[in-house]
Amino acid sequence: MKKIIIFTIILYVLTLCIPYFANKSSKKTPPTPENHIALYDTKTKKQTSIPFDEYLYYVVAAEMPASFHTEAIKAQVICSRTYSLKKSKSSAHPDGSDMCTDINHCQAYTNDEELKALWKENYNYYKNKIKSAIKDTKDMIITYDNEPIDAIYHSSNNGYTENSEDVWQKPLPYLKSVKSPDEGSPNFNFTYHISCDDLFNKVKDKYKNATMSKGIGKITYTKGKNVKNINLYSVDISGVELRKLLNLKSASFDIEENENTVKITTHGYGHGVGMSQYGANTLAHQGKKYNDIISHYFKDTKISKKE
């Protein structure tokens, strides 16, 4: 009899505790309604559930100038939708979120207050323009072998996109170097000047075997005409690493030493892989549709409907 009473008490306590732990767990990873996304805001450190199309609107508004051609914006919508779907399945986020607002981890993200300040009297026009692009491409994603692709994109380049393996060492069949009409980008050419001493010190801080006796040496290039490797102060440095080290706009650059100063002229803005946003805009103005733009930048892919 005593054992039965003890068992009954334990069962009663467990009955009380299970809902508590279940509720505690659900607070950490709340279920999201269908067609919603769990978004982690890196500023507020909070997770919210918002409609996926609403998330797309704020991403596209932050990622691409709203003044761009409608067909370019549609291509951006499909890229961002595909990128989000792929990323949410493969990356860990705080509190089990699908995506976050950190541009360096996911995609750029904005809000109405920032957009009203940016667009001013064009706010309603641009808002409707982007939302129409989302509606017109409803559920469209880019696939390769029936799977969502890494729909990478960048602002502009030197006239060619990059092979994925020349930036991230991972070759992907649909991320190959192609010509891109980016001459209209405000960052097509950008010049930096840095003293020889400052440049040497930056290199020396990271590469201890650097020597001042030798300056700019051999430079090799990728298929996309970016700097693949440069010998600088007796150190072999990849173009990608030098871009990070000097905070350059791209790894496509010309470099020359003049007395005590080094002149660096970059071409384009971003990593150069996948769709160029300025290139997409130019192609759209040339009469290309969103599907033409996507097939140009992502080889052997197709546009499918997400499940």
Side-chain angles (χ1 to χ4, degrees):
M1 184 67 178
K2 186 176 180 181
K3 290 183 179 179
I4 295 175
I5 294 173
I6 293 173
F7 177 77
T8 303
I9 292 172
I10 292 173
L11 185 63
Y12 176 72
V13 171
L14 287 174
T15 303
L16 292 176
C17 289
I18 288 173
Y20 168 77
F21 287 113
N23 289 335
K24 188 175 181 181
S25 176
S26 65
K27 287 180 181 178
K28 184 178 180 182
T29 54
T32 53
E34 188 177 0
N35 296 323
H36 278 56
I37 187 170
L39 179 66
Y40 180 77
D41 191 320
T42 54
K43 293 180 180 178
T44 64
K45 308 299 182 186
K46 293 181 179 179
Q47 183 197 87
T48 56
S49 174
I50 66 171
F52 186 60
D53 283 354
E54 182 179 333
Y55 166 74
L56 269 184
Y57 165 69
Y58 289 119
V59 166
V60 174
E63 287 284 4
M64 176 176 274
S67 59
F68 275 18
H69 196 288
T70 300
E71 294 300 313
I73 292 178
K74 288 179 182 178
Q76 179 65 55
V77 168
I78 296 172
C79 282
S80 290
R81 182 184 291 118
T82 308
Y83 182 91
S84 301
L85 183 63
K86 178 90 170 180
K87 186 86 172 178
S88 65
K89 291 181 177 180
S90 60
S91 296
H93 291 85
D95 291 336
S97 300
D98 298 308
M99 298 293 286
C100 70
T101 59
D102 182 358
I103 187 175
N104 295 312
H105 189 266
C106 289
Q107 299 178 99
Y109 190 80
T110 187
N111 55 54
D112 281 322
E113 184 179 351
E114 292 175 344
L115 292 177
K116 287 177 180 177
L118 176 65
W119 293 341
K120 299 180 173 63
E121 67 275 7
N122 292 317
Y123 173 77
N124 287 325
Y125 172 71
Y126 285 151
K127 177 180 179 180
N128 292 331
K129 183 179 181 181
I130 295 174
K131 289 200 169 185
S132 292
I134 293 172
K135 182 179 179 181
D136 291 344
T137 62
K138 184 70 175 176
D139 292 334
M140 293 183 188
I141 60 171
I142 312 168
T143 60
Y144 182 87
D145 282 347
N146 298 318
E147 292 293 332
I149 70 165
D150 287 315
I152 306 298
Y153 53 89
H154 59 280
S155 176
S156 60
N157 53 60
N158 60 12
Y160 293 85
T161 65
E162 282 281 77
N163 289 337
S164 60
E165 62 266 29
D166 288 327
V167 178
W168 298 302
Q169 299 181 343
K170 180 182 179 182
L172 290 171
Y174 49 82
L175 291 177
K176 296 301 180 183
S177 178
V178 297
K179 286 186 177 181
S180 184
D182 285 47
E183 293 82 359
S185 166
N187 293 299
F188 191 70
N189 291 311
F190 191 88
T191 300
Y192 303 76
H193 290 92
I194 184 171
S195 72
C196 293
D197 287 341
D198 286 346
L199 179 58
F200 174 74
N201 289 334
K202 285 180 178 293
V203 174
K204 183 72 173 178
D205 284 344
K206 185 172 179 62
Y207 304 95
K208 303 306 180 184
N209 58 331
T211 59
M212 190 67 170
S213 59
K214 293 186 178 180
I216 303 169
K218 183 180 178 180
I219 302 175
T220 59
Y221 298 90
T222 65
K223 186 175 181 180
K225 303 185 185 303
N226 282 11
V227 172
K228 185 173 185 177
N229 284 288
I230 179 172
N231 188 276
L232 198 57
Y233 303 118
S234 300
V235 178
D236 286 323
I237 308 173
S238 73
V240 172
E241 283 300 317
L242 191 63
R243 180 196 175 199
K244 293 178 183 177
L245 186 65
L246 302 181
N247 196 28
L248 302 177
K249 289 185 179 293
S250 76
S252 175
F253 57 83
D254 303 314
I255 183 169
E256 57 180 293
E257 188 174 357
N258 299 307
E259 295 183 0
N260 298 320
T261 303
V262 174
K263 176 184 175 183
I264 302 174
T265 302
T266 57
H267 312 291
Y269 191 8
H271 48 65
V273 181
M275 187 186 78
S276 162
Q277 293 170 321
Y278 274 88
N281 191 45
T282 299
L283 290 173
H285 280 286
Q286 291 175 353
K288 302 297 184 183
K289 300 299 183 182
Y290 67 85
N291 55 307
D292 300 320
I293 295 170
I294 287 171
S295 64
H296 176 75
Y297 287 109
F298 303 103
K299 291 301 181 184
D300 301 320
T301 62
K302 64 179 182 178
I303 296 177
S304 309
K305 287 278 189 176
K306 77 178 181 72
E307 297 178 357

